[in-house]
């Protein structure tokens, strides 16, 4: 499990609550029709596809509620080796102080 920044909305998400951000091995599970621009990006549970490839509904399209949704300046954070968010420019890992 690790934290990442959603590439669409910029919020903090955990791989455990977003099917790994819908990337990697999880990507093939979803119906990307009309969402082609999102494919391959790390997505939070709100931005993730709402339909699986087999036509059944995912629970995505809404926040999971496992923790508070925190938005950060988009594109400014990466996941470091410890699985935490790190500010790309400063290397700081206390992402909460960048919350917007
Ligand atoms: Zn998002």
């Amino acid at each position: 499990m690790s934290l990442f920044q959603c590439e669409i909305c910029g919020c903090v998400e955990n791989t455990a609550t977003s099917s790994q951000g819908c990337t990697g091995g999880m990507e093939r599970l979803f119906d990307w029709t009309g969402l082609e621009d999102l494919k391959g990006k790390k997505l939070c549970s709100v931005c993730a596809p709402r339909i699986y490839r087999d036509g059944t509904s995912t629970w995505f399209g809404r926040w999971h509620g496992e923790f508070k949704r925190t938005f950060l300046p988009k594109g400014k954070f990466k996941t470091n080796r410890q699985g935490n968010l790190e500010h790309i420019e400063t290397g700081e890992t206390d992402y909460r102080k960048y919350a917007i």
Side-chain angles (χ1 to χ4, degrees):
M1 292 188 293
S2 63
L3 296 177
F4 66 90
Q5 181 175 32
C6 175
E7 293 184 59
I8 301 304
C9 71
C11 81
V12 180
E13 179 61 292
N14 192 306
T15 53
T17 49
S18 61
S19 289
Q20 305 296 320
C22 304
T23 56
M26 296 303 206
E27 186 181 295
R28 64 187 160 77
L29 301 179
F30 300 100
D31 179 357
W32 296 94
T33 306
L35 305 172
E36 288 83 1
D37 292 349
L38 304 184
K39 199 171 178 181
K41 293 190 165 79
K42 295 284 258 184
L43 304 173
C44 73
S45 73
V46 178
C47 298
R50 297 176 188 208
I51 303 172
Y52 287 115
R53 207 170 70 173
D54 68 3
T56 59
S57 290
T58 68
W59 58 270
F60 294 135
R62 60 193 165 90
W63 189 240
H64 48 70
E66 292 294 319
F67 52 87
K68 188 174 169 285
R69 194 176 181 200
T70 301
F71 291 93
L72 300 174
K74 200 172 155 183
K76 298 291 185 185
F77 287 83
K78 65 174 185 180
T79 303
N80 66 17
R81 263 184 258 165
Q82 288 75 39
N84 292 315
L85 279 181
E86 182 178 307
H87 191 268
I88 292 168
E89 288 168 25
T90 66
E92 285 187 276
T93 53
D94 183 12
Y95 66 81
R96 287 177 181 82
K97 66 188 198 189
Y98 292 92
I100 50 178

